[in-house]
Each structure stands twice: as structure tokens, then as C-alpha cells.
Amino acid sequence: MALDEQVCAVVSANLEKKIPVGRNTDLRKDVHLDSFGTMMIINGLEDAFSISIDDQDFRAVSSVGDIIEMLRTKYHVGG
Amino acid sequence: MGTERFYDSLSIDKSAAFETGFNPYYRSVEAVYRTGALIDGESYIDCASNDYLGLAADPRVKDAMKKAIDTYGASLCGTPIASGYARLFTEIGKKLELFTGAGENVIFPSCYQANCALFQNIVGESDTILVDHYAHASLIQGIRLARCKVKPFKHNDMEHLERLLKSDGSTGRKWVVTESVFSTEGSIAPLDRIADLCEMYDAVPVVDDSHGIGVIGRNGRGILEEKNIRGFKGIYTASLGKALANAGGIIAGDPRLIDYMKYSCPGLIYSTALTPSSLAGIGAVLDIIEAEFPARSLRLRQNRAVVLKALKEAAFTCSDGESPIVSVICGSDTATFRCAREFFNRKIFTTAFVPPSVPPGEGLIRIIAGAKLGENEISTITAAIAETGKEING
């Protein structure tokens, strides 16, 4: 599965509500992410990719696309 | 950073209050009477208080408290480990033990304090706490103080919880933390299933029954009665300031836990004890619940049903919980404050929830139509709902 698809799947699996998730999904406006919601997604990504994510790196993230780029550039996931 | 710059940096976003011309917080209650409250010199029907059974102003409760003041004074002015342990602690503690079925207990000045004190006293850094996404702020603050790995699970989602329990490879202890009745939207946790999962995966369940004690269960005994759980092996906390109509909070469980907390918990032993008059009031409330719960519970549920029907007819979107809590989903902070203002202008006092108490963009108004409200008050509330609905929903 491509990185984009995997990340969208992890985000979707950790949301309370069933909404379509894509690169442009805004974590605040579309998902209403709170601190525990953020933690669920971080934990899900850590499990999915066997990495440990620094919470500080996630603070700059505002969309699913940002998550994908962060994983690619900072954590070298997905080649 | 200079001192002035430090104080300048402390700011609260009050834009919703400015936009709506209404701040729903810190309204000054001047008096409380049977069905309502005097606020800013005017009478309001009280749908904000957690006095579910309408006992906070009951003469029997007030008399018990006054007698205790005559005996003990205003406060024992000391920590329970030293000079602050009145005989009432033992007496009321035993009553609460029998009432809740949660085991021996220790009484704190508040449940917020109990929840904050609990985890930092017994959770190790290599432990993992799995916690419901919508757990109360006091549990979240307490969990943060524990400094261990935290894994939230989707609200009341037992499949997600089980996946997390199954995949957790940590070396320390596992804890599963939840509320019984979720305070913002009124859903009830499947604590029986949680207890089973904890048994299966060697985890310790922790439940905060603050909005369940005195409210749910056939006799009002809370979540353990509601879910028919006997011999609960976990840790139970609850507020004594909601249906039990007073102040204080308890941690209950295994006698070894309670003894340990009594002697080692900083949040207990370095704090002034709950006053004897509060304990006496709680005792009186427990006696009244034993005698009168069926009738009060029926009125509480009937009130909820009527209010919920009126809200739906007025085109409000409401929470879907099973408890007496009804919440009107508003969305933005401004929409939430506007809704609270419209109810307030019609003399209905409600509670507005905005972040961080709820996720961003999911503000809501909570309405608790307690058992003290009779037909006249409910009629006024439904009329106010209809008018507010026209104003807000068109």
C-alpha cells in the first residue's frame, strides 16, 4: 500500500466519526482534533510504521498531507 | 522574561463572549431555592447544577449539616492523617462502601483532587494507561501527572480497546480508565465489558462514577449496580458533589490500595480534610436515596424525556446518551455561547462547554432537568426551548 493510503487508513481508523480522509483533510477544521485525538493518531502511526514520533514534530502538522510529508522527510518512511 | 511580560502572556480567548455579548461563566449565584437559583438578582430555573435528585437544598440535609457544625465547628482545619479525621469519615465511608459496592474507600475534598492524586501515587513510568477519548478533564490531568505511556481509545469502542490491549508490549502494568456516565454527552460506559477485557489482558480498570452515583442503577447505586458487576477488582472514584449533593470525592477499591493511599498519597495527606458538615450532609442524602430513589429517579427520567422531545421538535441536534444528561450540539464557541445566551435570556440556566472541555468545533450546551423540577418548571423550559429554537434554528 502506498504511503498516502496507509496514512489515510491510520487516520481514518482513529477518528470518532466516519468522514472521508485524504491529503487535504484539515485536522482542525475537518476532524476537530483534540489532544487525545492527536495522541490516537500518533500512536496509530507509530504502530503502523514501527517508529517513535516526537510530539514536537506533530505540532507543525495541520493536514493529513503534512503528516505524510513529515513521515517521509523526518522519519524516512515510504522511501 | 520580565514579570510584566509574564503576566501579559497569560491570556484567555474571550472572543466568543465579546461577539455574543454574553459570558456564560462565573455567573454569580446569590441564593438557591427548591427549583432554581437567584442569579444577578433574578430567578432562573436551574438546569446547570449536577444536583440530579434535588437534594442539595433539602431541609433534612441542611439540618444534618447544621448539627455537624454545632458538634465539630466549620472545619477541623487539618489533614485527615493528623487532626482532620472525624468519626464521620469512618461512618460515612462505610455507608458509601455498602452503597456503591466498590469496596473500602478514602474520602478527598473533591473528586478532581482524588483523580489527580490517584495516578501519580500508584502508576509507574513503565506502565501504560489506556483511557477513553472523552474521559473527564480531572482524569486527564491525573493521567498526565503519572508520566507513563498513554493510549487513548475511541469513545466506548471496545474493539479498539481490545486491539490496543492485545498489541501493547510494554513491560509495566496496564490500566484502563473511563467514566461511567460521560459528563458532556451522557453516554454510559460498557464497564462490564471493560472489566472482562481487563481480566483477559491483566489490566486494572479505573472508573470515575461521578455522574453515575446516585443516578444510575436500579437503586441509584451507580455503575456497578447498573452493569450488575459484583466483586469489582478495579479502582472506583466518584464525586460526592453531584447527585450526592455536597462536596468531596472518593477513591474506593481493595483495602490494601486504600490503606496505601491513606498513608502515602500527597494529594490527601497534605490537604485539609473535607469538613464534617459535608460528611453529615452526604450521610443524610444516602438515607434519603435509600428511601426515595424510585420516585426521584422517575421524575428525573420523565423530565429528561420531555426536555429531549422539546429540543428535537425545536430542531436542535442533541446527544444520544442513556443518562439524564441532555446536550444540545452547537458547534463553534460563538454558536455555543449564543445558544446559552438565548436560554439564559429566557431564565433557563444551562452549562456551556467549549474547548478544551470538548473537541474544537464541538461546543455544546448541557441541560440537566433534575428531579427537583416539577411540571411548572418543565413547562417553562419547553416553552423556552421552542422560542430559542425559532431564534436559532429558524
Side-chain angles (χ1 to χ4, degrees), chain A residues 12-18 27-29 31-40 42-43 46-47 52, chain B residues 131-135 140 143-144 149-155 160 163-164 167 355 358-362:
Chain A
S12 189
N14 286 283
L15 297 182
E16 294 289 349
K17 292 177 186 153
K18 293 260 175 273
L27 296 172
R28 192 170 167 85
K29 292 185 193 141
V31 170
H32 300 164
L33 211 59
D34 58 9
S35 61
F36 266 10
T38 302
M39 218 180 271
M40 284 199 287
I42 290 176
N43 288 343
E46 288 181 338
D47 288 344
S52 180
Chain B
V131 54
D132 191 284
H133 183 183
Y134 291 166
I140 295 171
I143 284 166
R144 286 201 169 120
K149 180 75 178 168
V150 178
K151 292 188 176 180
F153 58 91
K154 289 198 285 182
H155 179 50
H160 191 205
R163 278 201 305 278
L164 292 177
S167 64
V358 290
E362 295 187 11

Side-chain angles (χ1 to χ4, degrees), chain B residues 87-365:
Chain B
R87 182 183 52 81
L88 280 170
F89 273 101
T90 307
E91 195 181 301
I92 304 307
K94 193 68 192 168
K95 268 183 149 166
L96 286 164
E97 180 183 343
L98 294 170
F99 184 73
T100 61
E104 283 186 30
N105 56 68
V106 57
I107 299 174
F108 283 72
S110 76
C111 193
Y112 185 93
Q113 197 164 328
N115 286 343
C116 283
L118 173 66
F119 298 100
Q120 61 178 316
N121 206 40
I122 60 173
V123 173
E125 284 186 10
S126 61
D127 292 358
T128 303
I129 295 180
L130 299 101
V131 54
D132 191 284
H133 183 183
Y134 291 166
H136 191 262
S138 61
L139 290 167
I140 295 171
Q141 293 305 320
I143 284 166
R144 286 201 169 120
L145 290 169
R147 297 176 190 262
C148 66
K149 180 75 178 168
V150 178
K151 292 188 176 180
F153 58 91
K154 289 198 285 182
H155 179 50
N156 280 346
D157 188 329
M158 294 298 99
E159 284 179 15
H160 191 205
L161 172 59
E162 185 164 14
R163 278 201 305 278
L164 292 177
L165 281 166
K166 205 180 263 186
S167 64
D168 182 68
S170 59
T171 54
R173 191 164 292 108
K174 290 190 277 277
W175 308 82
V176 177
V177 180
T178 188
E179 281 179 81
S180 59
V181 175
F182 286 83
S183 55
T184 55
E185 35 80 276
S187 60
I188 297 179
L191 186 66
D192 46 351
R193 182 70 184 128
I194 289 173
D196 287 343
L197 285 172
C198 286
E199 185 78 29
M200 220 183 297
Y201 293 98
D202 196 25
V204 181
V206 181
V207 62
D208 180 334
D209 197 24
S210 292
H211 283 270
I213 188 172
V215 182
I216 59 175
R218 198 163 56 87
N219 300 296
R221 291 167 183 254
I223 188 69
L224 299 183
E225 183 182 46
E226 172 76 15
K227 294 296 181 184
N228 200 27
I229 297 171
R230 306 260 164 95
F232 182 60
K233 291 186 187 149
I235 299 173
Y236 173 103
T237 77
S239 169
L240 308 174
K242 301 187 195 310
L244 296 204
N246 215 290
I250 56 169
I251 294 175
D254 189 283
R256 291 164 290 184
L257 167 75
I258 302 307
D259 194 59
Y260 182 75
M261 294 293 287
K262 277 181 168 169
Y263 285 94
S264 74
C265 180
L268 177 72
I269 65 181
Y270 295 118
S271 181
T272 302
L274 186 67
T275 61
S277 59
S278 277
L279 292 166
I282 291 158
V285 165
L286 289 170
D287 290 341
I288 296 170
I289 291 176
E290 291 284 350
E292 298 176 14
F293 182 75
R296 290 183 183 266
S297 175
L298 180 62
R299 201 149 65 235
L300 182 59
R301 288 182 189 283
Q302 284 172 341
N303 287 349
R304 177 196 185 269
V306 171
V307 166
L308 184 60
K309 183 168 177 286
L311 286 166
K312 286 183 174 174
E313 283 171 358
F316 286 107
T317 305
C318 299
S319 60
D320 208 11
E322 312 93 77
S323 79
I325 288 170
V326 176
S327 290
V328 177
I329 315 299
C330 302
S332 69
D333 295 7
T334 305
T336 305
F337 279 26
R338 185 178 166 224
C339 191
R341 181 195 69 199
E342 293 306 314
F343 279 115
F344 195 77
N345 287 348
R346 291 167 178 85
K347 300 294 184 282
I348 311 297
F349 188 32
T350 62
T351 310
F353 285 80
V354 292
S357 302
V358 290
E362 295 187 11
L364 56 86
I365 302 296

